[in-house]
Amino acid sequence: MSDAEAGTVYLVGAGPGDPDLLTVRARKLLDSADVVAHDSLVHDDLIESIPESTRQVDVGKRPGPDGERTTQAEIHDLLVETAREPASVVRLKCGDPTVFARGGEEAEALDEAGVDCEIVPGVTSAIAAPGVAGIPVTHREHASALTVVAGHEDPSKAESALDWDALAATVAAGGTLSILMGVGQLPDNMAALEAAGLDPETPVAMVERATYDDETVVTGTVATIAERAQRADIAPPAVTLVGDVVEVREAVDDCLRSLQRQTGRVSSARLRGD
């Protein structure tokens, strides 16, 4: 497999944050691409590691009424037009490009325009965030199923695509629920699970800025996590984990702290939620 080729768009996953978690294929493409169009949440150190000769375009979508926003249509046009120069283009996304990152939409747009593309998987935060916090998303004694959902859906949709009754039943049966992009909707999401019959004492954890130096972990239950997250001032990006696997973190906490001391990656604010 060759490095970046002119006329091709590479939909690349940047991983959960820490540049050390980038895949080898992604690194090779970043080092050889003509253009990199990146999201706003990609780690600054990773952006700074891109060769100075490479043209960089920030196409991030920032939340809030005053946030800058590049529309998806504008991104599609940019990718197509740049590839036709011709240039090799890396579309760099946080996590994995196909997990709530619109990689599928962009691949369809490129195919319709007749532009070659390649999808380069990345480590999704749905798994990485709980993992680095000591929470395995599956465990032989606790969870044999993993469900990943978006905690904040497209506001233009007529109704939610999430079946909270089914999600609550999956967790109650021993599954793990990983919620991405759900900080703003956390109280509503927890209320929906409880209304669907999930035990309010079910363990919950939130991992903010996973793999960054200021990573923060807050633990609680379906009934308490919203208040605890607010008290800790949890902000995006954060991943919410619901299920019995959250309790495993207590068993591996000493191991994690030892490793963090060795690597120098000791979080500045870890809230145990006890």
Side-chain angles (χ1 to χ4, degrees), residues 100 149-153 162 164 178-190 206-207 225-226 229 234-241:
F100 303 124
V149 302
H152 178 74
E153 297 183 90
L162 297 180
W164 290 102
S178 181
I179 305 175
L180 305 184
M181 305 176 295
V183 175
Q185 296 297 114
L186 179 65
D188 292 339
N189 291 341
M190 293 301 103
M206 295 192 75
V207 186
I225 193 64
I234 294 295
V239 178
T240 304
L241 281 299

Side-chain angles (χ1 to χ4, degrees), residues 202-220:
T202 300
V204 181
M206 295 192 75
V207 186
E208 178 189 359
R209 292 178 63 80
T211 77
Y212 284 72
D213 290 339
D214 57 349
E215 172 189 310
T216 301
V217 181
V218 177
T219 59

Side-chain angles (χ1 to χ4, degrees), residues 97-233:
T98 62
V99 181
F100 303 124
R102 307 194 183 189
E105 297 175 42
E106 292 171 8
E108 289 177 324
L110 293 167
D111 181 71
E112 184 177 349
V115 175
D116 291 339
C117 74
E118 176 186 328
I119 295 176
V120 181
V123 182
T124 173
S125 61
I127 296 172
V132 298
I135 303 169
V137 291
T138 64
H139 190 292
R140 286 193 302 170
E141 297 179 5
H142 299 285
S144 297
L146 168 66
T147 305
V148 181
V149 302
H152 178 74
E153 297 183 90
D154 185 342
S156 66
K157 293 169 66 172
E159 58 184 28
S160 173
L162 297 180
D163 184 338
W164 290 102
D165 289 339
L167 294 175
T170 297
V171 175
T176 302
L177 178 62
S178 181
I179 305 175
L180 305 184
M181 305 176 295
V183 175
Q185 296 297 114
L186 179 65
D188 292 339
N189 291 341
M190 293 301 103
L193 287 172
E194 191 169 348
L198 186 61
D199 186 344
E201 294 303 309
T202 300
V204 181
M206 295 192 75
V207 186
E208 178 189 359
R209 292 178 63 80
T211 77
Y212 284 72
D213 290 339
D214 57 349
E215 172 189 310
T216 301
V217 181
V218 177
T219 59
T221 66
V222 168
T224 66
I225 193 64
E227 187 274 332
R228 292 187 177 188
Q230 182 180 33
R231 190 169 65 220
D233 198 25

